[in-house]
Amino acid sequence: MKQGRTAKGSDFKRYPGFVQLAVLCLLILYAPLIVVAIYSFNASTSITLWGGFSFRWYYDVFFGPEADVLKEAAWNSIVIAITAATVATAFATSAAMGMLRAGRFRGQRVSFALISLPLMVPEIVTAVATLIFFNSIGFDRGLMTIVVAHTVFCIPFAYLPIAARLEGISGIYEQAALDLYATKWEAFRLVLFPLMAPGILSGFLLAFIISLDDFIITNFVKGAGVETLPTAIYGAIRTGIEPNILAVSTLLLFVSILLVTLSWLIGRMGSNDKPLTE
């Protein structure tokens, strides 16, 4: 009974002011996004005065004077994100297998720290270091430099859901496959990989959205004349915020929310299955 009371007493939701503080934090985080989304449907050319509901600025995004620039920037963002997420997911899957299925080895903790380092280092520091590295080796900036930079930056984001999924898979499945005369590659391809698939797909989607939304690293390593959607939005607002930029931002926000939600749902697939006991 004492343990039950202790657990119940440690419920933060029961602390005075917790709900109010949570609501305040949510308002601070999401109120600006909601305002941007609402005013993207404003019929007026003003970004502060409401002039009625309209899809005018969404039409302008796809068919207006700046449509070609935005479409090219969006295409660049998608190509870079797909390429970077695919390569980062492959590296992350290999890293997860080495960290969690190769047994204990010297330098394992250091290896995990190196994988997680991009999550802890300020992004501006990563951007500056990457730019200096490319300049020192004479790597001309362009789409390829963005892909390389995004790939390295996205590896830890892809690694986390993949490693979490792999940790929940019992080694009995692979042992059973090996006992049935499967090779290690066949045990991975036919048994372990299908079980890891939700985590791998979740990691890919997370890496994709991180690359798609990235601005700081992209702005440092992109070449002249190369634009992604975030850098195109930044370039547009430097001369003043136009209502069509609110529409572009809302579309990008919607895609981000959709992919993050999809990544979370896929990551939960099979998480409630009862593992076999060893």
Side-chain angles (χ1 to χ4, degrees):
M1 293 298 293
K2 291 182 179 180
Q3 292 180 351
R5 290 176 182 175
T6 302
K8 187 176 181 180
S10 63
D11 187 357
F12 289 103
K13 292 182 291 186
R14 296 180 179 273
Y15 286 6
F18 174 82
V19 175
Q20 292 81 355
L21 182 60
V23 171
L24 178 62
C25 291
L26 291 174
L27 284 175
I28 294 174
L29 285 172
Y30 296 108
L33 302 179
I34 295 173
V35 170
V36 168
I38 292 175
Y39 274 89
S40 69
F41 296 98
N42 188 8
S44 172
T45 56
S46 173
I47 62 171
T48 57
L49 299 177
W50 182 256
F53 185 88
S54 175
F55 288 100
R56 169 185 178 182
W57 303 116
Y58 288 91
Y59 180 88
D60 187 79
V61 167
F62 292 100
F63 304 103
E66 300 177 0
D68 291 338
V69 175
L70 294 174
K71 287 178 182 178
E72 182 180 359
W75 176 251
N76 288 339
S77 292
I78 292 173
V79 170
I80 292 169
I82 291 176
T83 306
T86 301
V87 179
T89 302
F91 277 111
T93 302
S94 301
M97 290 293 298
M99 293 291 292
L100 301 176
R101 283 298 193 265
R104 300 193 63 85
F105 57 88
R106 182 179 298 177
Q108 188 174 27
R109 293 184 178 180
V110 176
S111 300
F112 178 76
L114 290 175
I115 294 173
S116 305
L117 191 61
L119 296 174
M120 298 176 285
V121 175
E123 192 174 350
I124 184 66
V125 176
T126 302
V128 172
T130 306
L131 175 61
I132 294 174
F133 172 75
F134 286 146
N135 288 339
S136 64
I137 64 174
F139 198 169
D140 294 333
R141 286 182 291 169
L143 285 176
M144 187 54 64
T145 54
I146 302 176
V147 170
V148 173
H150 282 203
T151 298
V152 175
F153 184 67
C154 288
I155 287 175
F157 293 95
Y159 174 84
L160 292 178
I162 295 173
R165 179 70 179 183
L166 186 58
E167 283 181 336
I169 300 175
S170 174
I172 288 180
Y173 300 106
E174 298 155 86
Q175 295 173 9
L178 294 174
D179 289 341
L180 294 173
Y181 305 104
T183 63
K184 289 185 178 180
W185 167 246
E186 289 173 336
F188 170 76
R189 180 171 60 88
L190 299 176
V191 178
L192 188 57
F193 181 79
L195 294 173
M196 291 176 60
I200 293 174
L201 184 54
S202 178
F204 172 84
L205 290 174
L206 189 57
F208 177 88
I209 200 61
I210 292 296
S211 175
L212 186 69
D213 291 345
D214 182 79
F215 167 74
I216 297 178
I217 293 177
T218 305
N219 196 47
F220 271 77
V221 303
K222 73 182 183 70
V226 177
E227 297 289 351
T228 63
L229 202 51
T231 61
I233 293 174
Y234 175 74
I237 65 174
R238 293 179 67 179
T239 57
I241 302 177
E242 299 292 335
N244 61 342
I245 298 302
L246 302 183
V248 174
S249 301
T250 303
L251 290 173
L252 188 58
L253 175 64
F254 173 76
V255 172
S256 301
I257 294 174
L258 180 64
L259 291 181
V260 169
T261 303
L262 186 61
S263 174
W264 179 76
L265 291 175
I266 292 174
R268 286 177 56 87
M269 289 176 57
S271 60
N272 296 325
D273 295 345
K274 294 182 180 179
L276 295 176
T277 56
E278 300 194 35

